[in-house]
Amino acid sequence: MTRIGIILGSTRPNRNGSQVAQWVLDVASQRGDAEFELIDLRDHPLPHLDEAVPPMFGPSVNTHTRAWAERIAPFDGFVVVTPEYNGGVPGVLKNALDHLFAEWTDKAVGFVSYGVNGGARAVVQLRTVCSTLGMADVGYQVAISVLTDFENHTTFVPGEHHAAALGKTLDQVVAWSVALAPLRAAAAVAVG
């Protein structure tokens, strides 16, 4: 079955992202077309990128990077749950993406973002980064406002329009993950 990782891209104390990521997982788990699993970056502390050579040139010698690669490699696609910090991508998320290359290539990615402006500027940046890593970013996304979609700026209350947008995003991530499977299989044969 197709496996989709839901990456929680914030490690801040008192983050709103854990509520959003759990909502994504709860909605996604009701589907029968893929298996979904939460990947919390708090569980995978990585130093600032410390690779001697770019990840595209092969496996890392670093234990922490190899463990991260083993966590990401089995997935066919991803949904990234990201806040927007000061108009951009959280550093911890960018760092996690930068540690790998082949493990991202030929996989689909969708975005659920949150922030004052719905996290839109973070997603613009992530689309460029993910495309450079060889990922296929899907058109639909979920944009959540911390001003209107959180009670007292702390409790996430998703609206029906968010559920509809998430459904379309998940539809595309699963479909693209399945469509890209032959490319991943061909790459595995070439390496193996």
Side-chain angles (χ1 to χ4, degrees), residues 1-166:
M1 175 157 297
T2 301
R3 293 186 66 197
I4 306 297
I6 300 167
I7 299 175
L8 174 48
S10 171
T11 58
R12 288 176 73 171
N14 302 320
R15 62 189 174 175
N16 287 327
S18 56
Q19 295 174 68
V20 177
Q22 187 61 53
W23 169 71
V24 172
L25 179 62
D26 291 346
V27 170
S29 295
Q30 296 174 19
R31 301 169 63 97
D33 56 353
E35 295 175 355
F36 297 88
E37 189 174 332
L38 185 59
I39 303 167
D40 189 339
L41 292 184
R42 280 188 181 169
D43 298 332
H44 303 280
L46 295 166
H48 288 289
L49 186 60
D50 63 346
E51 297 300 319
V53 297
M56 71 173 50
F57 294 128
S60 173
V61 298
N62 294 321
T63 304
H64 54 266
T65 302
R66 287 195 316 269
W68 179 234
E70 289 172 10
R71 180 70 172 121
I72 294 302
F75 291 97
D76 301 300
F78 301 94
V79 174
V80 175
V81 177
T82 183
E84 180 179 307
Y85 294 159
N86 301 314
V89 177
V92 68
L93 176 55
K94 178 68 165 71
N95 190 52
L97 291 166
D98 287 345
H99 267 79
L100 305 177
F101 186 81
E103 294 79 9
W104 302 120
T105 303
D106 296 327
K107 296 181 180 181
V109 63
F111 303 101
V112 175
S113 58
Y114 59 96
V116 173
N117 296 310
R121 293 175 291 188
V123 171
V124 168
Q125 293 175 0
L126 283 168
R127 287 185 190 280
T128 300
V129 171
C130 290
S131 175
T132 302
L133 291 169
M135 300 177 85
D137 62 303
V138 303
Y140 281 101
Q141 72 182 66
V142 183
I144 299 166
S145 171
V146 295
L147 299 177
T148 60
D149 298 316
F150 287 85
E151 289 180 358
N152 300 317
H153 306 291
T154 58
T155 304
F156 179 48
V157 182
E160 289 183 28
H161 63 290
H162 293 311
L166 179 58

